[in-house]
Each structure stands twice: as structure tokens, then as C-alpha cells.
Amino acid sequence: YTITDDFTAYGGSAAVYSARCSEDQIEYVIKEVFPNKAGRFKRENGIVCAEDSNDGRSQKMLEKYRAKLVQEQALGSRCFNSTILAVPVRRIIQPDSITIKGQRFTDVKHSPFAVLDSMRKKSMSFAKVLEEIRQEKSEDHPLRTGGCPTLYTTACLMEHVLLTLQAIHRQNVLFGDLHMDNVLFSECCLEEKRVGMACFLDFGCARELIDGEKTAVIKDDVFSTRGFIPPELLDYNDGTLQLTRQADIFSAGCLMLRCLVPEDDWDYLGSSPEIDSVAILPSDAKRLGINDSLCRKVNDILSRAVHPDPEKRYPSADAMLKVIQELKRDTEPPKYLLPKAP
């Protein structure tokens, strides 16, 4: 594999690079373990390794993240093998398999790297879809509103997300970090009102659901993304924490909320939106062009999805998907506004 560009994404515990395989000349993505802890890590022969100081804690952290990378391959591949609605780690490779700027890595005792499919040319992230929809209205882009997506478009987006979440949960996997940049809509073409399938990216926070119900007891830190964090992760972990599918349901509710709330108000949602802050107000309903009945239905969906008590949320992605599909039917525009069938 030859690194073809500087890193394309960085954050949390990894850096991501574009690369090309010499065997098939196909573009892939290389994921490197790179904890976001300034001053604790350095590069030797181009490979990230821990500083010798810090009482060995940096090395332990690096080993922990490398183990998570291998776990990501196992859980992501399991979901991919049963459904294409995932972007799994294709394989784990050693550093001597990578060339950058004409030089091969010379030290092979350090971190393995992960190889993923590149979705750059055929997909659009959830965040990018919302960004496109918020552009000024245009005849060439029928989904653009100049603001929030229509309620029908929101229902379509959430339907695809929940179909994927449903498939992943059926593999007894908790995704664990559902947010706007971890959802890619494949074969997306907004100009033709085609969203495409929702593929989930980055299984680094995924965990096994024992008997499909709960994770094993979690004694260490659990990582999640600000604005999508289930309240149970904000409480003090006394070493008995177990997560359920409802953690993903909460994050799905936060995704829906981002569709309905103006971007300028996102910061007010905080790390974990509180139930009092998720109601769609009459002014929001007018902006979205919905009546009181639909407003109540939307508020019922949101308040249950992001309820602070996991047991009071939707019991499964299937249950939330059902009400979202009802919302989609209720808000479907007249047929003359829809694209003609091929």
C-alpha cells in the first residue's frame, strides 16, 4: 500500500490516510492508531510509538488502542459479512507493507495498520448531506431548502440510519459512537432526490452485546462524541456499567434532532441533549411547515428516543424505525412532486 495523500481525517485515537494498493490499484483508506494526546507520542521510522517517560502509561494507552483496532476489525467485519451496510476494517497489515514518499517503513515491531474501503468518491456523510440541504434553494437541487430539511426528507434519512442500526444490532453488536460523521450515504445523489443507503463507519467504539441484550461490564473509559452522548455515559462509572441497544437509540434521536434544529442552535444542545431541550416549538413547526398534529408526533418520537432513562427509550431500532416510517408516510409529498419512476 502506498500512502497517496496527507491524512484525510484525524481525531480521538486514529489518523486516516488515502492509499493505493499495488496489487489491484484500488484506492483504500489506511487507519493508524494515533491517540490524541500531545507530547506523549513520537514517530520512529515513521511509526507512532510512546515516549519513554510518563511511567509507561503512554505505552499502555497505545497498546489499548491497538487492541481496539483488532476488535474493530472483528466486529465490523461480522456486520459487513451479514449486510453491506458497514465500512469494515478489511484487513490488518504490518508497517512494512506501507510505502510513503518512496520510503518503506523499516521497523515492523510496532503498530499494525487497518485497511478500509474508500468511500470518498461514492458517498456523502450525514453532516455533508445536511450541509448541502441547507444551501440556498435551487431547481437543480430539489432537496435544498436554505435551512433545515423538510420533515419528509428527515424521515427518509432516519429510515436509512435505523435500517442499518437494526442490521447491526441483529449481529449482537452495539455500534457505540453514532454521529453525523460516522454515517455515510452510499451512492448518494441529492440532485435526483436519492439519498442512498446509510453505511456506518468506524467500529472503534463497537462492543459485543451478550445474548443481544447488554455489553460485558465496562470498567474503563467509554468514548463517545459530544452532542450524541447517552446520559448513562456521563454518570460516574463505579465499575458496573453495562450498555444496551438503547445507547445507540439515544444517539439516533440526537441525529434526528440535528435535522430539525437550525445549525446555529446546535451548541445549545450540549454534550448530551436533555429531554426538556428537544421539543419542537410552534415557531419550529411553522418553519418546518408542519401542523400541530405532526408537531406532537415529532416531539413524541424525540422525547422517547432521547429519554434519560434507557428503559424508557425505544426498545429497539425496529421499534423506532416503525414510527419513523409512519412519519414518512404522513409527510410524503404529492406524487407530482416526486421524481418520475425509471
Side-chain angles (χ1 to χ4, degrees), residues 4 44 222 240 266 281 311 332:
T4 57
E44 287 184 358
V222 181
T240 62
W266 286 359
L281 304 175
E311 294 186 0
E332 185 173 1

Side-chain angles (χ1 to χ4, degrees), residues 1-5 18-22 30 97-102:
Y1 295 87
T2 300
I3 303 290
T4 57
D5 202 352
S18 296
R20 187 170 295 277
C21 179
S22 60
I30 299 290
S97 300
I98 298 176
T99 302
I100 183 169
K101 296 181 180 179

Side-chain angles (χ1 to χ4, degrees), residues 305-321:
V306 302
H307 200 285
D309 184 349
E311 294 186 0
K312 294 184 178 179
R313 296 175 203 152
Y314 290 103
S316 64
D318 309 54
M320 187 173 177
L321 175 62

Side-chain angles (χ1 to χ4, degrees), residues 52 70 81 98 106 150 164 188 212 214 220 243 248 261 276-277 305-306 339 342:
D52 294 331
V70 175
N81 290 335
I98 298 176
T106 58
T150 65
T164 301
C188 185
K214 294 182 178 181
D220 55 356
L243 295 177
D248 282 341
V261 174
D276 294 338
S277 68
V306 302

Side-chain angles (χ1 to χ4, degrees), residues 172 186 233 252:
N172 293 337
S186 66
L233 292 187

